[in-house]
Amino acid sequence: MSVTTQVSDQAVVGGPALPQERRLVTALPGPRSVELAARQRAAVPGGVSTTMPVFAAAAGGGVVVDVDGNSLIDLGSGIAVTTVGNSAPLVAQAVGDQAAAFTHTCFMITPYEGYVEVAERLNALTPGDHDKRTALFNSGAEAVENAVKIARSYTGRTAVVAFDHAYHGRTNLTMALTAKNQPYKSGFGPFASEVYRVPTSYPFRDGLSGPEAARRAIDQIEKQVGVENLAAVIIEPIQGEGGFIVPAEGFLPAIVDWARENGVVFVADEVQSGIARTGTWYASEHEGIVPDLVTTAKGVAGGLPLSAVTGRAEIMDAAHAGGLGGTYGGNPVACAAALATLDTIVADGLLERATAVGEQLTARLGALAERDARVGEVRGRGAMIAVELVDPATGEPDAALAKAVAGAAHAEGVIVLTCGTYGNVLRLLPPLSIADELLAEGLDVLERALGATR
Ligand SMILES: *Cc1c(COP(=O)(O)O)cnc(C)c1O
C-alpha cells in the first residue's frame, strides 16, 4: 500500500516561478506529511532525524512547498546549500542536459571536461593567485578527510589540530575533528588518532583580541603537539554548526602566518562559509588570508552532491597517483550543476545580494537586540547571520529559548535552523534568491515568535 501525495502523478515545477508567499492551508505538519512521517518512522532509522516533519514537494526562490500545499519561507537553504535557490533555472537545465548525455563514467576511468572545468573555476575563485590544483569529491566530510590525507602526504607529519566549537563532518576522522559530543560523536568512537583540539577565538564569550586568542592557541599547539609533528591546522573561517562564530580580527592571519613559518598546512574549511554565502566567494577574503588548502561543498552545486579540495599545486601534487579519488567523486551531473551554479552567482550578482541580505538581517536583528536583552549577540557576515540567545541576568546560553522560538517559527511556516555548541543560536542562511519582502516577512514571524516566548 502506498500513500499518494498531492503531486505524485504530475510533474512538479519548482524554481523561482513558484508563488513567492507564505501560505498555510493546514496546521503543520499537514495530513499528508503526517502519513509520510509514519512511513519514515517505519522505514528510516531514528538516528536520521528531521528539523521539521513537513515533506517537501517543490521549492524555489525563497519558499518550500509541502505535500499538503503549504508554502513555507526558507531561511535555511537546506543548510547553506541552495544559495542560488532551489531548481535554479540554469542548474535545472544543465542537470537535465548532462543527465541526457551521460550520467557517470568515473573520472578515474574515462575523464570528462566538466570535472576539469570545475577545477579550473575553483582554482581561479579561491583566495590567492598561486598555482593551484583541485580534486573533487561528494560531501563536505569527504573533502575534509582528503585535505588531511594531502597535508600528511606533503609534510610527512601526522598530527592535525582542530579548534573548539569546530564542525567538520560525521565520518570517523571528521567526527574526531568535530568538537561537539551530542549529537555528532556520542557512542560512535573510538575516533581517529593524532587529532588535537585547541581554543579558538569567540569574542562574545572569551573577550580576547584576535592576536591574544591566536597566541593562546599557538602556545598550546607548541607545548602539547609540537610543530615537528604537525601536518595541518584546520579551521572554519566562520564556524558553522558551532554557532556562526566570527573570530576576532587578526586571529586567522596570526594562525596563517604561524603555520607558514612552521611548515604546517593551513586548511580553511569553507564548506559552509564559501561560495558567495558571506558576500565574497570565500569567507577567508574578509580577513585577507590565503589558505594553503580550501574545502568547498554545500553551496557549490545548487543542491547536487559535490565537494572539492583546492590548494597550492606543490601540496596537492604530493599524493601518489591513485592515492586520491573515489567512484563518484566529481560526478558529471554534479559538475554540470556546479558550473551552472557559479554562472548563476555571477549572472544574478549574488555576491552583492548576499551582502544586501546581510544588511537587511543585521538591521532588523540588531534593532531586536536593542529591545530584547535575551538577544546576546547578532553576528556573522553576509547571508550567514546568527542570533545568540542568553539569560539576560547571567549571560548563560539559553538553549530552551532557541528551541522554543524555532519551534514557534516552524508552526507559522518559517524554516529556521538552530546551532551552537550550547544549542542557543538561531542561524539564518536564506537562499540568495529570496525576495526582500519575503525575507522581511520571515523576520516578522521570527520576531513575533521570540516576543511570544517567555
Ligand atoms: C556541513 C559541513 C561539513 C560536512 O559536510 P557534509 O557534506 O555534510 O559531509 C564540513 N565542514 C563544515 C564547515 C560544514 O559546515
Side-chain angles (χ1 to χ4, degrees), residues 223-305:
K223 300 289 178 311
Q224 297 186 15
V225 187
V227 288
E228 65 275 28
N229 304 306
L230 184 57
V233 292
I234 178 160
I235 190 162
E236 302 151 83
I238 299 176
Q239 289 182 317
E241 308 298 303
F244 283 21
I245 303 165
V246 184
E249 192 183 338
F251 176 77
L252 292 171
I255 302 283
V256 171
D257 290 347
W258 174 85
R260 195 135 308 143
E261 281 158 24
N262 289 284
V264 174
V265 175
F266 180 93
V267 185
D269 182 354
E270 293 248 24
V271 164
Q272 190 156 165
S273 58
I275 309 294
R277 181 47 54 188
T278 68
T280 50
W281 284 105
Y282 286 90
S284 292
E285 294 168 49
H286 294 287
E287 284 237 39
I289 60 166
V290 177
D292 298 312
L293 302 179
V294 178
T295 55
T296 303
K298 293 195 166 89
V300 73
L304 275 84

Side-chain angles (χ1 to χ4, degrees), residues 79-81 138-144 166-171 174 178 234-241 269-273 295 297-298 306-307 384 427:
I79 320 186
V81 169
N138 303 290
S139 68
E142 209 187 341
V144 169
Y167 181 83
H168 297 291
R170 293 176 180 270
T171 58
T174 59
T178 291
I234 178 160
I235 190 162
E236 302 151 83
I238 299 176
Q239 289 182 317
E241 308 298 303
D269 182 354
E270 293 248 24
V271 164
Q272 190 156 165
S273 58
T295 55
K298 293 195 166 89
L306 186 74
S307 69
M384 182 173 184
R427 57 167 152 176

Side-chain angles (χ1 to χ4, degrees), residues 137-149 152 160-186 188-197 234-236 239 241-242 267 269-271 295-298 307-309:
F137 306 97
N138 303 290
S139 68
E142 209 187 341
V144 169
E145 293 247 358
N146 278 278
V148 171
K149 281 168 66 174
R152 284 176 171 159
V160 180
V161 159
F163 289 79
D164 281 339
H165 310 290
Y167 181 83
H168 297 291
R170 293 176 180 270
T171 58
N172 187 266
L173 174 56
T174 59
M175 278 193 292
L177 293 167
T178 291
K180 198 176 170 183
N181 172 34
Q182 277 290 355
Y184 305 122
K185 304 171 72 164
S186 191
F188 298 142
F191 303 111
S193 60
E194 286 305 298
V195 172
Y196 300 86
R197 188 169 315 286
I234 178 160
I235 190 162
E236 302 151 83
Q239 289 182 317
E241 308 298 303
V267 185
D269 182 354
E270 293 248 24
V271 164
T295 55
T296 303
K298 293 195 166 89
S307 69
V309 182

